[in-house]
Amino acid sequence: MRLPRAVTAGLLAVTAAATCAACTTSGTPATPTSLTCSYPTGTDAAARPAQKPSTADVSRTGTVAALVHTSAGEIPLTLDRDRAPCTVHSFVSLTEQTYFVDTPCHRLTAPPAAVFVLQCGDPTGTGAGGPGYVVPDELPLGLAPAAGGGSAGGDSTVVYPRGTVALANRGVPDSGGSQFFLVYRDTVLPRTYTVFGRVDPPGLPVLDRIAAGGEDDSNGPGDGRPRIPVQIRAIDIGRT
């Protein structure tokens, strides 16, 4: 996604003129409103049929409203294209293909685990499923460093605040897909998870009720399936 630079001195005058046309009234270059994304084919087959998103002219401004209808209640989200345009574009594409319909939120982490999230987006409900392509990282900026400035696997740890919507991955760079997690309590993690939105205030009590119901420890202490079943029935998308 890097853009080539002009390398010929004779092009300077033309480049300058083009730059002026793209300047703001203060004379500073305008921020591009779109970009090209890349969605490489993954190593695993899609858990459910899905087409790759389009890659050209992807909007990088504004927000997208998403209302997640679940068996445990409605969870409204605001997706941030300024922060993670390619990730938002993929999520919207999968939603419009009904990829998430009738899929479970298969994982809840809670004490004694030190991570506090509800994870969704895998049609198989196993934690291994994805759309057949990968979403390259758009790593977050501006998250508060964790107390003590610790690190995990060489990556600095930061606080993913309550209400964060982030893309899950396989623990290696550029391995995200369809799975995402909703943070219901401030959580310290490596800065390796793309943040692409937030849970709107009306959705937080729904997450709290799910968390209060606990999980079954099927993946270990504090990590398993939510005891209150959470099935995504539909996601409505609106643009703002």
Side-chain angles (χ1 to χ4, degrees), residues 71-172:
S71 56
E74 294 186 343
I75 305 174
L77 312 176
T78 297
L79 310 181
D80 191 346
R81 290 185 295 214
D82 293 304
R83 198 167 194 176
C86 296
T87 304
V88 171
H89 187 57
S90 172
F91 184 90
V92 170
S93 173
L94 290 172
T95 297
E96 291 176 341
Q97 296 179 65
T98 66
Y99 182 87
F100 298 114
V101 172
D102 293 328
T103 63
C105 292
H106 62 276
R107 185 184 186 194
L108 178 70
T109 57
V115 176
F116 313 104
V117 306
L118 177 69
Q119 188 165 327
C120 315
D122 173 12
T124 72
T126 65
Y133 64 85
V134 296
V135 181
D137 296 333
E138 296 175 286
L139 298 181
L141 301 173
L143 296 180
S151 64
D155 295 298
S156 60
T157 54
V158 294
V159 178
Y160 285 71
R162 170 174 164 86
T164 295
V165 182
L167 200 66
N169 61 46
R170 295 177 179 267
V172 295

Side-chain angles (χ1 to χ4, degrees), residues 66-67 74-78 162-165 183-184 197-209:
L67 180 59
E74 294 186 343
I75 305 174
L77 312 176
T78 297
R162 170 174 164 86
T164 295
V165 182
V183 180
Y184 64 88
R198 65 181 183 273
V199 179
D200 294 340
L204 294 173
V206 177
L207 289 181
D208 291 339
R209 287 195 297 272

